[in-house]
Amino acid sequence: MESLKETTVETANKLGLLPEEFDKICTLLGRKPNFNELSIYSVMWSEHCSYKNSITWLKTLPREGPHMLAKAGEENAGLVDIGDNLACAFKIESHNHPSAIEPYQGAATGVGGINRDIFTMGARPIAQLNSLRFGNLNNERTKMLMRGVVKGIGDYGNAFGVPTVGGEVYFEDCYNTNILVNAMSVGIVEHGKTVKAISEGEGNNVYIVGSATGKDGIHGATFASGDLHEDSHEDLPSVQVGDPFQEKLLLEATLEVIATGAVVGMQDMGAAGIICSTSEMSAKGNHGMIIHLDKVPTRQKNMEPWEILLSESQERMLIVAEKGKEHLINAVFEKWDLNCTCIGEVVNGQQLKFYMNETLVADVNAESLVLGGGAPVYKRDYKEPAYFKQNKLFNINKVEVPSDLITVAKQLTSHPNICSRRWVYTQYDSMVGTINMSTNKPSDAAIVNIKNSKKALAVSVDCNARYVFSDPEQGCAIAVAEAARNIVCTGGEPSAVTNCLNFGNPYNPEVYWQFVHSIKGMTKACEKFQTPVTGGNVSFYNQSKIGNEDVPVYPTPTIGMIGIISDKNNAATLSFSNSGDQIFLIGTSKNCIASSQYLVSTHGINHSPAPEFNLDEEYDVQQLIKQLIKAGCVQSVHDVSDGGLFISLLESAIINSLGFEINSDEDIRKDAFLFGESQSRVVVSVSEEQMDEFISLVADSGVDFTNLGVVTHGDIIIDEEKFGNISEYSKLYQEKLESVMAY
């Protein structure tokens, strides 16, 4: 058998391993590895599986909080207590490289994989979100990728039967080749009904359940740990193929089999397939396994041992069954007409021994393969990029205020990064399961009903990558703050965070500097809002080789956050309700246009600092917003973010075809007042009946507030100048993306 021959450092290099890593493998084994074993180490020590270049800094993130039921890295997903004997399992992960090569299947299997992480723990997925980044929308390739990704997410999620309730889409030239596709899933489980990803108990049988194993996705983890290049299309076999209907069966079977009490441990097979599940479960349980690869159900004949071990075929699980209860597991999967095959057993020690037709084809130590065990850990050098100094040189006084701000307002309204994402979200089934409470009552965060409870979940994904590029520490802190602000503006209390950290090549000191400083910003913001990081995903190598130059994407540390709305009847909406209601700005407007969409699209200036942001100021604003919503003295609540105050007012007005009349602040440039993106600001509308209590609460808070003006029947008037009617802005806002994406 060819795969049993000794390998060389040259072979290791082809599999993405460093020479020193090959030497370490030889030392661990006490010999040179065969090809099966080298393939095992190549995927398990890849960046995608081992986090070898990031774990040092990830450990600095806050990981403990009063509601935490599982610390980061302990389980497949984060787990937090939400009261009423319920817990929320949630996680976000990337599927960037596969989606850039084959957008439909890449995005679809990203959705499938993140949902499996949730229900493998015993939680039923109830909501999905996504965070997407594409290149210039004028490019036909961008349109092709976007159509494929959105259809892949929609087709898989719709068939699987879990609503997509929220997300974000941005367009920047830096994503022209390397798009980002981040998928988040949220699930609910009763306390005590979770299952761990662990293997223990000598003599317990090991089962593979679900779909048969094929050649799709082989070395997918290695593929995800390298740069995209001109020949990346040749890596198409590294892209998995999904079957949402099979996953739906697997979901129901998994939850049913957990209820039998026959499951010792269970883990889904995502990146690195069988080898990842067997090694991680064994290392966690301090046991080993004997696995017979010839017993694994396969879709192709004559698969090599390493192909079976590394295949990332979808809709599969590894289960360790309690001895004597195997019949219970078999009965459940027979009922759901799914494969359920015993492929081995748990043994004492930590060795993983893989056999093919009675021949030992790989013999490796479980602990040596995994994060926190023998996998390498690096702390890379980093240095401040030259562009960062250029950002600091920005001077607002050198930027002229346009004479025609009405035209600017209309251009921003129809900008792809500002306009409605209706073309995207109408392809998703947002209402299946009757849990989405935001459809007829839009809000800054998605509101997800918790059945048989007065509570609801508020969920959000946020990251303005331009801010992070401008200043990674400040920009990432803003991403956390905005996620928290969105949850607070719905009436929720921020609870915990999952993250998807998308960066370029970690061996590039300037990219690593972006990563390190993003972690620092995330840490200080999460500590301030008491939102511990429950886990997530690191996706390096999001860069493209254009000629001889490596071009990374903007650093994009996507924040997924959940919060708890204690009484769902008091959830807030962002939409203006009545003409005549007063409009107030909570927080302080700043003379700032830094990193705004306005600065980039109107003036063509791409280098500036992050928008003005003060963490203490942000915290105080959020505390006041909580009070106002709880007291019931606001009609609407909407944060100021992309596009500035004007866009926030417009988004609140459009829902009910209302308008607004406001006055600007004479101490602030009018373009900064309307389109600047300084943080820690929230727009609220207040009825006459609510006014006295509202004024009393805001006056006592010490937070700055301004009476901007009044809600109108439809006209938009600023400083007594008519900017137009809501109908024309609504058309610009709603139809832009649809017109661009039309065939």
Side-chain angles (χ1 to χ4, degrees), residues 125-153:
I126 62 169
Q128 302 172 138
L129 302 92
N130 52 70
S131 176
L132 311 176
R133 301 292 188 280
F134 300 99
N136 192 312
L137 200 49
N138 293 319
N139 295 342
E140 288 304 314
R141 183 174 182 274
T142 296
K143 295 177 186 178
M144 178 273 293
L145 290 170
M146 186 172 173
R147 290 186 182 109
V149 166
V150 171
K151 185 170 175 55
I153 292 171

Side-chain angles (χ1 to χ4, degrees), residues 158-210:
N158 297 351
F160 184 58
V162 177
T164 300
V165 299
E168 57 175 12
V169 185
Y170 284 95
F171 304 91
E172 299 283 357
D173 288 354
C174 64
Y175 304 109
N176 277 338
T177 300
N178 210 134
I179 64 176
L180 302 184
V181 177
N182 297 175
M184 180 175 172
S185 181
V186 180
I188 298 291
V189 61
E190 291 181 26
H191 285 195
K193 294 189 176 181
T194 56
V195 65
K196 293 182 177 294
I198 194 169
S199 170
E200 57 188 0
E202 183 184 8
N204 285 334
N205 285 330
V206 180
Y207 285 82
I208 189 169
V209 302

